[in-house]
């Protein structure tokens, strides 16, 4: 199969919509990360997603809609708290877990009786959904176990020959996947942190919980509320360690570990902030220390770069785990197997 990459245009969106409507897969831009889209109501099309990604069948997909009116047929009910979150944060980087209706094929929900719904901010994504005439099921468009793609090029690297088209809408602005919020109970629970932060949810609803597995590895026998938590994610080939503490201590500890690694014949690299001085050691930028959003936007690209350059040790600066920083630390933590040195 030839994989075409086409910049977003009315013609390209129309072509992508025809592919979706005929049961094919399309790589699509969203404001969070690129998705691998298929008609969510077509079980055979949805199964192709799992094949192309190499994704375990028990990990459910998010269903994307282009407007609120498309949601009622997909769910059994919309709790009051969910309505308030929709009003506050959609279109945007938030997925709500809701009780699913019979219209959602069980391949999408992986047998659960809930479904994740998202109304993305990306205009190209919404235009594609509307033109396809169906909701679009889309996981991140990476091969399972790789970092989520934040550019069309990343999607091409992972999906060349596996899908017929990638819509190129430029780099994803948020850079980490949507916040996944279970809105089925009394108090909403953040299962995966993202661009809509616990602080933002708390302002709207007065109460929010963050699942305990957001900042800790799973132990054997732990029960997970979101199947995605079970799977190893975003792990670069390099041995990855995070350093957390006061900036000067962190810089000193990273430099000394770097030098020791190099002396031992390793190929180390630093994921660090622009303002910090690491001498002439190899550094992949996480942007400005004052703007954690830049770390979010750059992290997945940086993890891919580590592998491309054949780095064997990655030493990462932590960010403060508040606001979008919680999402950054969750993804970085998983890449590092939560190997965090406090200095
Ligand atoms: O930003 C995003 O959410 C991107 C873009 C393309 O929209 N999509 C994305 O999908 O990240 P995916 O499949 O890579 O991650 C979805 C996560 C998984 O961890 C999955 O287990 C969880 O959401 N999830 C999906 N449906 C769920 C459900 N019904 N209950 C609990 N967790 C669910
Ligand atoms: Mg994913």
């Amino acid at each position: 199969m030839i994989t075409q990459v086409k910049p977003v245009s009315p013609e390209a969106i129309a072509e992508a919509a025809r592919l979706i409507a005929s049961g094919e897969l399309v790589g699509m831009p969203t404001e969070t990360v690129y998705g691998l889209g298929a008609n969510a109501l077509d079980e055979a099309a949805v199964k192709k997603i799992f094949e192309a990604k190499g994704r375990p069948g028990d990990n459910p997909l998010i269903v994307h809609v282009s407007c609120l009116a498309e949601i009622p047929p997909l769910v059994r009910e919309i709790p009051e708290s969910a309505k308030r979150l929709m009003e506050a944060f959609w279109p945007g980087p938030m997925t709500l877990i809701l009780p699913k209706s019979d219209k959602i094929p069980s391949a999408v929900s992986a047998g659960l009786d809930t479904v994740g719904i998202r109304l993305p901010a990306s205009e190209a994504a919404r235009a594609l959904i509307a033109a396809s005439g169906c909701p679009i099921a889309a996981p991140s468009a990476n091969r399972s176990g790789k970092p989520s793609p934040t550019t069309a090029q990343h999607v091409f690297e992972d999906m060349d020959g596996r899908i017929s088209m990638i819509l190129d809408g430029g780099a994803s602005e948020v850079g980490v996947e949507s916040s996944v919020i279970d809105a089925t109970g009394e108090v909403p629970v953040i299962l995966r942190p993202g661009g809509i932060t616990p602080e933002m949810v708390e302002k709207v609803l007065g109460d929010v919980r963050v699942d305990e597995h957001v900042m800790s590895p799973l132990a054997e026998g732990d029960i997970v509320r979101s199947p995605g938590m079970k799977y190893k994610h975003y792990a670069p080939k390099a041995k990855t360690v995070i350093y957390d503490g006061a900036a000067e201590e962190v810089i000193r500890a990273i430099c000394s570990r770097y030098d020791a690694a190099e002396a031992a014949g390793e190929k180390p690299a630093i994921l660090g902030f622009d303002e910090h001085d690491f001498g002439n050691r190899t550094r992949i930028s996480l942007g400005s220390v004052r703007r954690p959003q830049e770390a979010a936007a750059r992290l997945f690209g940086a993890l891919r770069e580590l592998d491309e350059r054949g780095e064997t040790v990655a030493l990462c600066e932590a960010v403060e785990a508040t606001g979008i920083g919680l999402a950054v630390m969750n993804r970085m933590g998983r890449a590092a197997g939560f190997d965090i040195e406090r200095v």
Side-chain angles (χ1 to χ4, degrees):
M1 188 184 288
I2 305 278
T3 302
Q4 300 186 67
V5 182
K6 296 204 172 170
V8 168
S9 70
E11 297 73 36
I13 286 177
E15 187 183 345
R18 279 194 299 276
L19 287 167
I20 297 273
S22 67
E24 295 302 318
L25 306 184
V26 170
M28 62 188 248
T30 87
E31 75 278 19
T32 55
V33 300
Y34 274 71
L36 184 60
N39 179 350
L41 306 180
D42 176 346
E43 182 129 38
V46 166
K47 286 190 171 146
K48 291 183 189 169
I49 293 179
F50 288 87
E51 263 168 51
K53 274 187 68 98
R55 181 178 176 107
D58 67 350
N59 197 0
L61 306 178
I62 294 171
V63 174
H64 298 70
V65 295
S66 73
C67 64
L68 292 174
E70 292 167 5
I71 297 173
L74 308 176
V75 302
R76 287 199 306 281
E77 61 157 319
I78 304 178
E80 199 51 43
S81 59
K83 283 186 192 150
R84 288 170 59 195
L85 292 175
M86 290 176 182
E87 238 165 69
F89 302 123
W90 273 353
M94 173 180 77
T95 296
L96 290 177
I97 306 298
L98 297 168
K100 86 172 193 76
S101 77
D102 294 340
K103 274 201 109 179
I104 301 285
S106 71
V108 169
S109 57
L112 300 176
D113 69 349
T114 54
V115 62
I117 306 275
R118 178 156 108 82
L119 175 55
S122 158
E123 280 178 23
R126 292 207 309 274
L128 173 62
I129 300 162
S132 302
C134 58
I136 294 185
S140 50
N142 51 290
R143 294 269 301 157
S144 252
K146 293 256 293 187
S148 293
T150 52
T151 65
Q153 177 59 31
H154 294 161
V155 181
F156 188 77
E157 283 162 16
D158 284 14
M159 292 296 159
D160 183 21
R162 294 173 180 270
I163 61 178
S164 38
M165 185 174 174
I166 300 167
L167 259 185
D168 185 351
S172 300
E173 292 136 50
V174 180
V176 291
E177 308 88 340
S178 62
S179 308
V180 175
I181 305 180
D182 183 342
T184 57
E186 277 284 286
V187 178
V189 185
I190 298 189
L191 303 178
R192 179 177 73 181
I196 303 304
T197 66
E199 294 86 346
M200 291 161 78
V201 173
E202 190 168 23
K203 256 193 198 149
V204 171
L205 294 181
D207 206 359
V208 63
R209 276 188 37 223
V210 177
D211 191 276
E212 57 178 323
H213 296 301
V214 161
M215 277 314 293
S216 65
L218 275 187
E220 216 168 63
D222 280 359
I223 293 170
V224 296
R225 299 180 62 150
S226 179
M229 291 173 175
K230 279 190 309 210
Y231 295 104
K232 198 173 171 183
H233 263 204
Y234 325 126
K237 292 187 192 89
K239 156 111 185 102
T240 305
V241 186
I242 300 171
Y243 287 80
D244 196 3
E248 276 131 66
E249 302 301 323
V250 165
I251 295 165
R252 192 172 314 135
I254 286 182
C255 288
S256 104
R257 176 79 173 264
Y258 184 107
D259 294 345
E262 206 168 45
E266 298 282 351
K267 213 169 159 280
I270 298 165
L271 264 57
F273 293 104
D274 293 345
E275 291 89 342
H276 294 167
D277 183 6
F278 293 100
N280 55 11
R281 297 172 183 86
T282 303
R283 174 224 314 253
I284 301 174
S285 170
L286 291 177
S288 169
V289 71
R290 289 189 303 276
R291 292 186 292 275
Q293 171 49 47
E294 293 182 5
R298 288 166 184 242
L299 179 64
F300 287 146
L303 294 176
R304 281 179 183 258
E305 207 177 318
L306 286 172
D307 282 350
E308 277 157 26
R309 297 157 59 128
E311 309 291 0
T312 61
V313 174
L315 309 171
C316 312
E317 283 196 79
V319 302
E320 200 192 318
T322 59
I324 187 77
L326 180 66
V328 175
M329 286 308 288
N330 167 259
R331 307 313 191 273
M332 203 187 256
R334 295 187 66 161
F338 290 98
D339 186 350
I340 304 180
E341 296 253 351
R342 314 212 182 254
V343 295

